[in-house]
């Protein structure tokens, strides 16, 4: 995946409202690490249905950072996990690592 997170979409959602923009960023910074940790735990223990639910939540943060390809990857991976297919795991982990690095600097 050659897509870089950005906060352009957050700015669009905030529509010039600085307080709202800061709130959206705070949500991403607070919820992403928790959701990522839950996903990894559930995936590790092969709780794929619950891991799919975690991916669903992560998908929203991916979308908030304007990552269209990443958002589609999350949709595909969520659907795959529901039928216990895990082939997209390595690509999804790369995406999460990119996001983690980016979010730490928001």
């Amino acid at each position: 995946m050659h897509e870089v997170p950005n906060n352009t979409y957050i700015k669009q959602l905030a529509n010039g409202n600085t307080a709202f923009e800061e709130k959206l960023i705070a949500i991403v910074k607070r919820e992403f690490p928790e959701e990522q940790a839950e996903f990894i735990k559930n995936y590790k223990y092969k709780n794929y249905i619950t891991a799919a639910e975690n991916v669903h939540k992560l998908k929203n943060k991916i979308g908030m950072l304007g990552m269209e390809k990443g958002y589609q990857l999350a949709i595909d991976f969520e659907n795959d996990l529901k039928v216990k297919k895990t082939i997209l795991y390595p690509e999804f982990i790369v995406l999460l690592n990119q996001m983690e690095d980016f979010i730490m600097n928001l």
Side-chain angles (χ1 to χ4, degrees):
M1 169 152 317
H2 297 98
E3 189 176 29
V4 178
N6 63 66
N7 62 356
T8 302
Y9 190 62
I10 288 176
K11 290 182 182 302
Q12 289 175 350
L13 288 173
N15 196 26
N17 183 332
T18 305
F20 187 47
E21 181 179 338
E22 290 172 3
K23 184 175 181 177
L24 291 172
I25 290 170
I27 288 169
V28 171
K29 288 182 87 162
R30 181 184 70 244
E31 292 180 2
F32 176 81
E34 295 172 6
E35 290 166 356
Q36 180 182 27
E38 281 294 308
F39 161 72
I40 290 171
K41 180 184 80 175
N42 285 314
Y43 186 88
K44 177 181 175 183
Y45 291 108
K46 298 185 181 188
N47 298 328
Y48 295 133
I49 299 300
T50 306
E53 293 169 6
N54 300 134
V55 171
H56 182 80
K57 291 177 184 176
L58 287 163
K59 175 180 69 181
N60 295 328
K61 308 308 176 289
I62 294 165
M64 286 175 71
L65 292 174
M67 300 180 74
E68 292 178 23
K69 292 178 187 174
Y71 188 80
Q72 186 59 53
L73 172 64
I75 290 170
D76 295 342
F77 190 43
E78 177 185 358
N79 290 331
D80 282 359
L81 284 171
K82 290 176 182 176
V83 293
K84 301 182 180 181
K85 287 174 54 182
T86 61
I87 196 165
L88 292 175
Y89 177 79
E91 193 174 349
F92 192 69
I93 288 298
V94 168
L95 172 65
L96 293 183
N97 289 337
Q98 289 172 330
M99 288 186 60
E100 184 176 37
D101 292 344
F102 180 81
I103 288 168
M104 288 176 54
N105 295 316
L106 268 177

